[in-house]
Amino acid sequence: GAVVSQHPSWVICKSGTSVKIECRSLDFQATTMFWYRQFPKQSLMLMATSNEGSKATYEQGVEKDKFLINHASLTLSTLTVTSAHPEDSSFYICSAEGLASEQYFGPGTRLTVT
Amino acid sequence: GQSLEQPSEVTAVEGAIVQINCTYQTSGFYGLSWYQQHDGGAPTFLSYNGLDGLEETGRFSSFLSRSDSYGYLLLQELQMKDSASYFCAVRDDKIIFGKGTRLHILP
């Protein structure tokens, strides 16, 4: 199956700092990638749809100025959490879309803001 | 609104068969997918149905009826390692996930 990597796998940062998370499709090109966050024992919450070469589409309630998404190439999308606060602590996951709209997920990034 | 409904929990016995249903209500439809997620890990792709009928992949099968806006995931010969959460998802103009079904397997 297709491989998607995410970096870092976990990060601890201080309140007020910014964190960048990278999502890479390693063996295929993905025009569309999605970003999610997930709290323990809950479902995936879609944050935004990232299309290569265009602005991301954010879900209602997700602050686009706080969660900056850049999809500069067909294999890389980045999510930057700006001015992070403890309530931003979560599991952030990306997925890259295959030809049949199936989603290939990255391993996730666990963010802890202290 | 757009929504996917699936049971929150299902319990089955090792070696048995279990079916997880999913009904959806979306404005568009480009296929129904199923994903497995173990605690602490990211979801992994299991199967995809773009057309009506049954898709089989080893012990796992998935079914779709577009006229009924309904699909299911069938897991056969259950193993303890199948204990996980299972999500159905529909691709519309974005990806929409169900809330997940927690599968408990008893020895």
Side-chain angles (χ1 to χ4, degrees):
Chain A
V3 179
V4 176
S5 70
Q6 240 179 282
H7 178 80
S9 56
W10 60 271
V11 57
I12 301 173
C13 71
K14 291 186 176 181
S15 187
T17 61
S18 295
V19 174
K20 179 186 281 189
I21 303 170
E22 293 186 349
C23 177
R24 293 182 185 272
S25 56
L26 298 183
D27 52 0
F28 71 105
Q29 295 181 326
T31 304
T32 302
M33 292 183 175
F34 296 93
W35 286 96
Y36 316 79
R37 63 188 299 182
Q38 187 177 36
F39 294 105
K41 301 190 185 302
Q42 294 189 22
S43 183
L44 297 161
M45 187 193 86
L46 179 65
M47 298 176 67
T49 302
S50 172
N51 291 301
E52 186 268 338
S54 63
K55 291 184 179 180
T57 303
Y58 290 82
E59 293 302 298
Q60 192 172 8
V62 178
E63 300 175 58
K64 62 180 180 181
D65 295 329
K66 179 170 182 62
F67 299 99
L68 301 178
I69 291 173
N70 184 280
H71 194 158
S73 77
L74 289 172
T75 59
L76 174 64
S77 177
T78 60
L79 168 68
T80 302
V81 183
T82 63
S83 188
H85 291 285
E87 56 265 32
D88 298 325
S89 298
S90 188
F91 191 44
Y92 291 87
I93 310 172
C94 70
S95 71
E97 186 162 72
L99 292 176
S101 301
E102 73 276 25
Q103 302 300 313
Y104 297 100
F105 287 86
T109 297
R110 196 161 300 281
L111 170 64
T112 302
V113 185
T114 61
Chain B
Q2 304 192 96
S3 66
L4 281 80
E5 297 292 330
Q6 54 182 126
S8 58
E9 287 186 281
V10 172
T11 300
V13 178
E14 189 177 15
I17 299 173
V18 71
Q19 179 174 312
I20 300 173
N21 298 321
C22 175
T23 58
Y24 59 89
Q25 183 175 6
T26 58
S27 55
F29 181 81
Y30 297 115
L32 180 71
S33 302
W34 289 92
Y35 300 86
Q36 179 192 61
Q37 185 178 27
H38 287 99
D39 287 345
T44 56
F45 172 72
L46 289 178
S47 69
Y48 169 81
N49 294 75
L51 300 174
D52 291 353
L54 191 68
E55 294 286 338
E56 298 181 74
T57 309
R59 294 188 297 115
F60 295 178
S61 302
S62 59
F63 172 82
L64 173 66
S65 169
R66 288 175 295 172
S67 60
D68 296 322
S69 297
Y70 162 77
Y72 66 71
L73 179 69
L74 190 73
L75 296 84
Q76 304 182 72
E77 301 173 19
L78 284 172
Q79 302 175 9
M80 297 304 293
K81 67 178 182 180
D82 298 330
S83 294
S85 292
Y86 293 84
F87 296 89
C88 57
V90 166
R91 181 63 158 100
D92 185 350
D93 57 349
K94 58 185 178 184
I95 187 81
I96 306 166
F97 281 86
K99 294 187 184 302
T101 298
R102 183 82 183 178
L103 174 60
H104 303 280
I105 299 176
L106 304 176

